[in-house]
Amino acid sequence: MPEYSSTKEAIPGAVLVVDTLDLERISRGLGDGVFTSEDLLYLSRISQVNDQVRAVGCVNPEAKSIAIRRDQERRDGNVHGALHGIPFLVKDTFVTLNQMDTTGGSYALAGARYEFESTITTKLRGAGATIQGKTNLSE
């Protein structure tokens, strides 16, 4: 996939360089079909470097299936919001009601269950975002 900056710059077979894209270019690229939500998942890069940097505490095991679903919704003309299909990592203090723990960096909270999701998580999901995982805390 290409490093994308406009609707006319797609280069077949080029590599998508996620860390050089801003939200506007990501949104435009998704809308123009230059790349997919699944293409944007940073899962392989996380697995490459996370052993050294430990920036990501957990990856959402549903991230790929959610991205695939977002791509299908986009093809069907059902875009949920401005962040539709864009992957995000949230801080581990934000409660998510899925298969990821919310520990705030404490092993004591592993496996804790919550009744409500955090407001920011709900708003991201409502705008169509894909919660890709949770970042570690410095504690």
Side-chain angles (χ1 to χ4, degrees):
M1 290 280 117
E3 177 176 337
Y4 182 72
S5 61
S6 80
T7 59
K8 304 298 180 200
E9 293 180 27
I11 302 167
V15 175
L16 178 62
V17 183
V18 176
D19 56 357
T20 65
L21 298 176
D22 59 25
L23 279 174
E24 181 183 335
R25 289 190 289 171
I26 290 171
S27 182
R28 195 170 53 230
L30 286 168
D32 292 343
V34 174
F35 44 81
T36 66
S37 299
E38 187 178 5
D39 293 332
L40 291 174
L41 291 177
Y42 220 52
L43 301 175
S44 62
R45 183 66 175 152
I46 290 169
S47 68
Q48 283 177 338
V49 300
N50 203 46
D51 284 343
Q52 292 81 34
V53 297
R54 303 242 186 254
V56 178
C58 66
V59 171
N60 185 353
E62 301 171 290
K64 187 171 182 174
S65 64
I66 293 167
I68 291 168
R69 186 169 60 247
R70 294 288 183 254
D71 289 332
Q72 185 59 52
E73 289 167 348
R74 185 175 294 279
R75 284 190 295 274
D76 294 343
N78 185 19
V79 175
H80 296 278
L83 302 177
H84 188 93
I86 297 175
F88 282 85
L89 292 169
V90 297
K91 193 172 183 178
D92 191 23
T93 55
F94 295 122
V95 174
T96 57
L97 297 179
N98 56 13
Q99 297 178 32
M100 294 183 291
D101 282 337
T102 301
T103 66
S106 172
Y107 290 118
L109 293 174
R113 295 293 162 236
Y114 302 90
E115 193 173 333
F116 301 100
E117 228 172 26
S118 71
T119 301
I120 190 69
T121 304
T122 300
K123 287 183 176 189
L124 283 168
R125 289 187 202 277
T130 300
I131 307 300
Q132 181 172 283
K134 293 190 173 187
T135 60
N136 275 326
L137 301 167
S138 60
E139 291 80 15

